[in-house]
């Protein structure tokens, strides 16, 4: 970093020291002095403080990596950087502006017509591949992240650069989707799905994946055979529904972090679910040089942002923008029909209300005595809130002695009857399988046909195919099992029977049907 005032060069270290201790002016060895109360210097001080925490440094020298494109861009805007190397500028420039990405041709073996935003996403992924960087493809659900990733695999194969297989790590329930999509869009690639441990498949992992261009496995199997996966070379690692490794203390996160590959890319419509450390986890895997230290990230970003610091939030946006590609359906898929959302209030019956109010008073008294030590009592507090959520749905979910009555199910059945008569089909979500069981019983009594899916469903693919190709007007789905990996554009109504902790999970559930291919208002 070089600073000049007029024609005189200013040594960096004394300037930094003066800024850090709050001096109002600096005297140079030549006798020249100048005021430090200047916006450029205030900004520079903030940037240097941030870099000192986040970036490797030796005294006053900081080593920037391409992942720090956002920090570099800000230094350039201040006039701090006088010269830039051509290689660095090429990496940074394309990361900061999608319009400057190289014109990588769409592979001829891809059996799909990419939309313009998908072409841009493919070129972004190809640029990361070329520069051996990682990133997060965070397109909103339903915009074709799988297709863009398969286009990258096909391109690498056709250019002769796929010297080792690409590894796709996904939830178990989505492995079949990857196989089907690959067979449809990239039939020239050999795709191997690993669905069992070595004890069951009978051969080592290296033999099972021999000759494959793309290997698809689950987070569970990767965790169980982490050493075997780590021992193999991978050209790239693609993490589908990457929020599965948002906990950096989990074994699945550690297994993914230790894989050897020229690039790692997270594919997720919800890169941030609970707090900013979810985002840190994904970036520490895909762009490990960006925010190397979780404590530094917490100090500089998480705590200030959670305290309402708008400037810290803006800084974080600038830092992560080069390595996260996020497009919304509203911005890039204008052909999608409208999505209308309605909140339907449901009054409890008088007897149900009295029961709920009694329990509410009891739980409120207990919880208010625990909030003084929130961390220690977190589980107990969440248990009380969950009990109240279940009780609001039906008393029988809390105490089997009570009748399985539910005002919500009454309203649901009335609305279903009306929309079925008009030829519509509906997805019905609940986070509680016990409540879905009550809905099933009521639909049976009303002679309304349905399909059913939760985390224990063995023939998941068959149930999905039965709804897509059958006549059942209703699909009952647990929110956790059906919030990802499904395309159900045959339906045009979605019911969320109980609010989830995280609104993003509800959006993902709605996006099972409001996605590319839908031609009806949802």
């Amino acid at each position: 970093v070089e600073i000049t005032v007029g024609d005189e060069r200013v040594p960096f270290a004394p300037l930094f020291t003066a800024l850090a201790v709050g001096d109002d002016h600096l005297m140079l060895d030549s006798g020249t002095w100048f005021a430090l109360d200047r916006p450029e210097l205030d900004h520079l001080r903030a940037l240097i403080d941030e870099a000192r925490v986040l970036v490797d440094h030796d005294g006053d020298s900081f080593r920037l990596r391409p992942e720090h494109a956002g920090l570099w861009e800000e230094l350039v805007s201040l006039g701090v950087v006088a010269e830039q190397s051509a290689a660095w500028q090429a990496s940074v420039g394309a990361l900061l502006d999608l319009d400057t990405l190289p014109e990588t041709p769409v592979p001829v073996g891809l059996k799909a017509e990419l939309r313009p935003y998908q072409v841009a996403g493919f070129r972004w992924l190809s640029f990361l591949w070329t520069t051996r960087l990682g990133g997060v493809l965070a397109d909103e659900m339903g915009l074709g992240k799988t297709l863009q990733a398969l286009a990258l695999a096909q391109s690498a194969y056709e250019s002769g650069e796929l010297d080792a297989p690409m590894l796709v790590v996904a939830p178990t329930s989505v492995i079949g989707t990857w196989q089907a999509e690959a067979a449809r869009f990239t039939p020239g690639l050999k795709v191997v799905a690993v669905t069992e441990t070595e004890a069951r498949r009978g051969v080592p992992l290296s033999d099972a994946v021999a000759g494959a261009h793309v290997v698809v496995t689950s987070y569970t199997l990767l965790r169980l055979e982490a050493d075997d996966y780590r021992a193999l070379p991978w050209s790239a690692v693609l993490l589908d529904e990457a929020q599965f490794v948002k906990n950096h203390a989990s074994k699945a996160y550690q297994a993914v972090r230790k894989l050897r590959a020229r690039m790692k890319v997270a594919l997720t419509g919800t890169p941030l679910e609970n707090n900013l450390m979810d985002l840190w986890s994904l970036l520490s895997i895909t762009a490990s040089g960006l925010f190397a230290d979780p404590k530094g990230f917490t100090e500089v970003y998480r705590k200030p942002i959670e305290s309402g610091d708008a400037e810290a939030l803006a800084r974080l946006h600038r830092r992560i923008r080069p390595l996260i590609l996020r497009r919304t359906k509203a911005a890039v898929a204008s052909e999608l029909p409208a999505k209308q959302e309605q909140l339907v209030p449901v009054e409890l019956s008088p007897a149900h209300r009295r029961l709920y109010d009694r329990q509410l008073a009891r739980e409120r008294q207990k919880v208010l005595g625990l909030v003084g030590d929130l961390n220690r009592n977190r589980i107990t507090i969440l248990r009380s809130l969950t009990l109240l959520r279940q009780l609001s749905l039906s008393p029988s979910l809390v105490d089997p002695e009570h009748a399985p009555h539910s005002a919500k199910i009454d309203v649901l059945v009335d609305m279903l009857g009306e929309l079925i008569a008009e030829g519509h089909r509906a997805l019905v979500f609940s986070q509680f399988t016990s409540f879905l069981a009550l809905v099933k019983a009521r639909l049976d009594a009303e002679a309304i046909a349905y399909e059913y899916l939760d985390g224990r469903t063995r023939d998941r693919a068959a149930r999905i195919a039965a709804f897509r190709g059958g006549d059942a007007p209703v699909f009952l789905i647990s929110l956790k099992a059906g919030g990802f990996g499904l395309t159900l554009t045959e339906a045009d109504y979605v019911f969320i029977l109980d609010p989830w902790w995280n609104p993003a999970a509800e959006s993902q559930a709605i996006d099972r049907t409001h996605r590319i291919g839908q031609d009806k208002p949802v």
Side-chain angles (χ1 to χ4, degrees):
V1 176
E2 293 184 358
I3 303 100
T4 58
V5 176
D7 296 326
E8 188 163 359
R9 180 176 173 180
V10 180
F12 176 78
L15 173 63
F16 174 74
T17 302
L19 290 172
V21 301
D23 288 348
D24 58 5
H25 71 279
L26 179 64
M27 179 76 74
L28 301 180
D29 291 341
S30 64
T32 303
W33 71 274
F34 61 95
L36 299 179
D37 184 17
R38 299 177 61 90
E40 309 98 302
L41 295 179
D42 289 341
H43 197 173
L44 177 59
R45 174 169 48 197
L47 287 173
I48 294 170
D49 287 344
E50 184 179 3
R52 187 173 292 279
V53 176
L54 298 174
V55 181
D56 289 341
H57 64 92
D58 178 13
D60 296 318
S61 298
F62 299 94
R63 290 181 291 277
L64 295 185
R65 300 162 53 105
E67 294 94 328
H68 295 115
L71 185 60
W72 176 265
E73 181 188 36
E74 205 157 338
L75 290 168
V76 171
S77 71
L78 281 173
V80 169
V81 180
E83 296 179 2
Q84 305 169 40
S85 72
W88 176 269
Q89 180 55 39
S91 296
V92 169
L95 284 172
L96 293 170
D97 183 2
L98 290 180
D99 292 336
T100 66
L101 286 170
E103 292 283 330
T104 308
V106 175
V108 295
L110 185 71
K111 306 303 180 184
E113 187 72 31
L114 297 183
R115 290 173 168 81
Y117 75 87
Q118 291 173 328
V119 173
F122 157 67
R123 287 176 175 164
W124 182 75
L125 291 172
S126 297
F127 181 78
L128 295 181
W129 168 268
T130 302
T131 55
R132 297 176 179 265
L133 292 169
V136 181
L137 181 57
D139 282 349
E140 203 171 32
M141 281 290 176
L143 292 182
K145 293 188 289 294
T146 301
L147 175 57
Q148 293 172 69
L150 287 171
L152 172 67
Q154 183 71 30
S155 176
Y157 170 68
E158 291 181 8
S159 63
E161 296 181 18
L162 202 61
D163 50 5
M166 285 192 179
L167 176 66
V168 176
V169 190
T172 303
S173 57
V174 183
I175 291 178
T177 302
W178 273 91
Q179 287 181 286
E181 297 280 272
R184 176 184 176 189
F185 297 126
T186 54
L189 297 180
K190 180 182 178 182
V191 179
V192 172
V194 180
T195 57
E196 297 175 320
T197 61
E198 183 176 345
R200 291 200 168 198
R201 65 177 179 261
V203 297
L205 180 65
S206 56
D207 293 345
V209 304
H213 301 121
V214 177
V215 175
V216 187
T217 191
S218 70
Y219 288 101
T220 300
L221 291 174
L222 173 63
R223 173 174 54 81
L224 293 175
E225 298 187 309
D227 291 341
D228 296 328
Y229 283 94
R230 189 165 63 247
L232 295 177
W234 306 102
S235 62
V237 175
L238 306 177
L239 305 173
D240 192 20
E241 302 296 345
Q243 63 272 17
F244 273 66
V245 287
K246 65 188 178 185
N247 179 5
H248 62 276
S250 69
K251 291 184 178 179
Y253 169 89
Q254 297 296 335
V256 168
R257 184 82 188 262
K258 294 175 182 176
L259 291 172
R260 294 183 295 124
R262 67 183 279 170
M263 68 179 292
K264 296 178 183 177
V265 175
L267 310 174
T268 175
T270 52
L272 193 155
E273 285 193 311
N274 299 317
N275 60 54
L276 282 174
M277 295 313 292
D278 296 350
L279 183 61
W280 180 88
S281 295
L282 297 187
L283 290 170
S284 69
I285 292 171
T286 59
S288 57
L290 182 60
F291 303 126
D293 180 14
K295 292 181 179 178
F297 181 82
T298 297
E299 177 185 338
V300 175
Y301 295 119
R302 181 183 174 183
K303 288 182 179 178
I305 290 171
E306 291 179 354
S307 300
D309 187 336
E311 174 53 33
L313 180 59
R315 282 204 318 271
L316 179 60
H317 279 153
R318 293 194 295 269
R319 299 296 174 268
I320 66 177
R321 180 171 62 90
L323 298 171
I324 296 184
L325 183 58
R326 168 78 169 177
R327 279 83 59 87
T328 64
K329 284 180 292 193
V332 299
S334 57
E335 75 275 16
L336 268 179
K339 178 172 67 174
Q340 305 168 31
E341 298 191 27
Q342 181 183 5
L343 187 65
V344 181
V346 178
E347 290 292 330
L348 304 184
S349 67
H352 188 175
R353 182 81 230 187
R354 287 193 297 272
L355 181 65
Y356 181 86
D357 286 343
R358 282 200 304 272
Q359 190 68 37
L360 174 62
R362 192 175 302 137
E363 298 300 327
R364 176 185 285 143
Q365 185 175 17
K366 179 188 0 177
V367 167
L368 288 179
L370 298 175
V371 293
D373 190 351
L374 189 61
N375 286 330
R376 177 175 297 180
N377 298 308
R378 185 181 302 271
I379 299 301
T380 303
I381 293 170
L382 291 176
R383 188 181 298 121
S384 288
L385 294 174
T386 300
L387 182 145
L388 290 172
R389 289 152 67 83
Q390 292 176 311
L391 184 56
S392 72
L393 295 172
S394 172
S396 64
L397 299 185
V398 174
D399 185 351
E401 297 293 322
H402 292 293
H405 173 72
S406 171
K408 276 193 180 179
I409 295 179
D410 292 342
V411 173
L412 172 68
V413 169
D414 287 344
M415 297 180 76
L416 285 176
E418 184 177 339
L419 68 90
I420 290 171
E422 296 173 351
H424 299 287
R425 306 179 78 192
L427 310 182
V428 179
F429 288 95
S430 174
Q431 63 182 292
F432 300 111
T433 54
S434 54
F435 190 53
L436 286 178
L438 299 184
V439 177
K440 284 172 60 177
R442 181 65 178 276
L443 295 184
D444 287 335
E446 301 285 343
I448 296 175
Y450 61 87
E451 294 293 340
Y452 181 85
L453 177 68
D454 68 19
R456 292 173 295 183
T457 302
R458 294 295 182 187
D459 54 344
R460 176 186 172 101
R463 299 277 56 79
I464 296 168
F467 179 78
R468 299 192 67 178
D471 297 322
V474 180
F475 201 168
L476 304 178
I477 308 174
S478 71
L479 197 59
K480 191 170 183 180
F484 55 85
L486 291 179
T487 297
L488 297 168
T489 51
E490 294 77 12
D492 57 343
Y493 275 79
V494 181
F495 291 89
I496 308 288
L497 296 182
D498 36 84
W500 184 237
W501 300 112
N502 176 12
E506 294 179 14
S507 297
Q508 288 197 111
I510 295 169
D511 286 342
R512 300 308 93 216
T513 185
H514 191 251
R515 60 198 298 129
I516 297 298
Q518 180 60 270
D519 56 6
K520 301 176 290 293
V522 174

